[in-house]
Amino acid sequence: MKRCDTKAQLGVMVQQTRAVGKKVGFVPTMGALHPGHASLIERASNECDFVVVSVFVNPTQFDNAQDFATYPIALERDIDVAQAAGAHAVFTPKVVELYGGDLAVEPVNYGRLTSTFEGKMRKGHFDGVVAVVRKLFQAVQADAAYFGEKDLQQLAVIRRLAADEFEGLEIVGCPLIREEDGLAMSSRNVRMSDDDRQTALHLSGWLKSIRADASAGIEVGKLLDKVRLEAAAVEGLELEYVDAVNGHTFEPQQVTGNGNGVFAIIAADVGGIRLIDNCRLACS
Ligand code: AMP
């Protein structure tokens, strides 16, 4: 497996690969790789001939300086994880390589996709995400890019970016991977204390019961209200939102049924760590 730090090195490698008709897959990450990331790389390596994984902690998508300062970094281990999962190249640019000296990013307006939920709670977050993913897409020139449903709203934003600006690039959404106890895997989980981790399990627990009760025919609005009430009573947990939306448009949608892509989404702060999770409410 190759490691490169510059767009020029990566460009040569990818051009040589494409020149012989190989399909190039791309998995962007911020590192501290866990089995959720590995599942994306494995999927890419099953579907593509050459897989590039980027590891880059993007400063412009953090709305919280403390979160950026304490974001876990484990580059040597990441390289091993990426290789074991089937990556052919790891792209590890420095900030200046992608941004030059200018960290200012353009505001992005994709309507509800960028103004609600994560877009509302984390001001400027999607501006930074779109800025970096655009730069990475331009650098990698992949045929397909793989993103996790863990960040469901981000996935919808990236689909829109690709539709607007990267014709022919396939965006592949991959299932959310959980710990055995149900907690959605996240690089930030390593920063949680044991007590906070137990508290954090409420999120996946609530989603699971919303899903079960919704399939038993209980009105989704009532289930969401019940979770809001329960959350208010949990010490150490600050609920930001819980709702039901169409996973592509992020329009509120509480009527579930086969194939209509409704997801329950939730975000909360537990012990200073922001957690997001979601689950599909009906099969599609
Ligand atoms: P990050 O390193 O957190 O920016 O995530 C890089 C990619 O991995 C994104 O497409 C995420 O949605 C995806 N990802 C992160 N955690 C998970 C998970 N638990 N399951 C599936 N995909 C994930």
Side-chain angles (χ1 to χ4, degrees):
M1 193 183 64
K2 301 251 174 17
R3 173 178 166 187
C4 51
D5 299 337
T6 68
K7 293 184 274 188
Q9 289 168 325
L10 180 71
V12 170
M13 206 187 301
V14 171
Q15 265 168 25
Q16 286 169 350
T17 308
R18 291 175 70 105
V20 292
K22 290 188 172 174
K23 178 174 177 181
V24 176
F26 175 42
V27 183
T29 81
M30 296 208 299
L33 300 186
H34 53 64
H37 297 109
S39 73
L40 270 53
I41 302 169
E42 281 160 14
R43 170 97 175 257
S45 97
N46 285 335
E47 296 179 357
C48 303
D49 305 301
F50 190 85
V51 176
V52 178
V53 175
S54 63
V55 175
F56 179 69
V57 184
N58 175 35
T60 66
Q61 73 185 70
F62 285 82
D63 58 323
N64 175 328
Q66 173 73 3
D67 187 29
F68 178 54
T70 57
Y71 200 83
I73 292 181
L75 188 55
E76 293 312 315
R77 201 183 145 267
D78 289 346
I79 289 171
D80 293 343
V81 173
Q83 182 163 24
H88 299 87
V90 175
F91 180 44
T92 53
K94 296 264 185 294
V95 172
V96 69
E97 176 68 13
L98 284 190
Y99 283 95
D102 184 7
L103 285 180
V105 295
E106 291 284 307
V108 179
N109 181 356
Y110 293 162
R112 288 192 64 82
L113 291 184
T114 45
S115 64
T116 61
F117 303 108
E118 292 303 286
K120 187 172 171 191
M121 303 308 299
R122 303 183 70 187
K123 291 280 175 238
H125 170 65
F126 286 128
D127 301 342
V129 168
V130 166
V132 77
V133 173
R134 181 186 286 124
K135 288 175 193 297
L136 290 168
F137 281 175
Q138 284 163 349
V140 180
Q141 297 289 317
D143 298 291
Y146 294 77
F147 290 84
E149 287 186 353
K150 159 76 170 39
D151 299 282
L152 190 69
Q153 194 169 357
Q154 169 177 278
L155 172 60
V157 166
I158 299 302
R159 285 192 195 284
R160 170 72 190 269
L161 169 70
D164 285 1
E165 300 179 30
F166 294 90
E167 198 188 340
L169 173 63
E170 182 192 0
I171 303 298
V172 183
C174 304
L176 190 161
I177 305 296
R178 299 181 179 283
E179 303 283 357
E180 266 181 27
D181 58 11
L183 183 69
M185 285 189 178
S186 161
S187 302
R188 292 181 178 87
N189 289 354
V190 296
R191 293 181 354 207
M192 264 192 284
S193 68
D194 290 349
D195 283 353
D196 287 342
R197 214 197 124 97
Q198 285 308 306
T199 306
L201 289 179
H202 281 289
L203 271 69
S204 52
W206 284 323
L207 292 176
K208 212 170 152 192
S209 40
I210 292 175
R211 183 187 162 94
D213 291 347
S215 13
I218 304 178
E219 218 180 288
V220 174
K222 287 197 175 130
L223 299 171
L224 296 171
D225 283 343
K226 186 166 162 252
V227 169
R228 290 179 189 122
L229 266 181
E230 280 180 34
V234 177
E235 207 176 309
L237 185 149
E238 218 42 68
L239 183 69
E240 287 188 4
Y241 61 75
V242 60
D243 221 318
V245 295
N246 176 295
H248 281 269
T249 62
F250 276 71
E251 293 290 340
Q253 192 174 328
Q254 301 191 351
V255 179
T256 65
N258 273 351
N260 66 356
V262 180
F263 288 77
I265 56 173
I266 190 166
D269 183 290
V270 176
I273 297 176
R274 197 168 175 281
L275 302 171
I276 59 171
D277 200 345
N278 71 80
C279 89
R280 191 185 285 272
L281 292 188
C283 309
S284 59

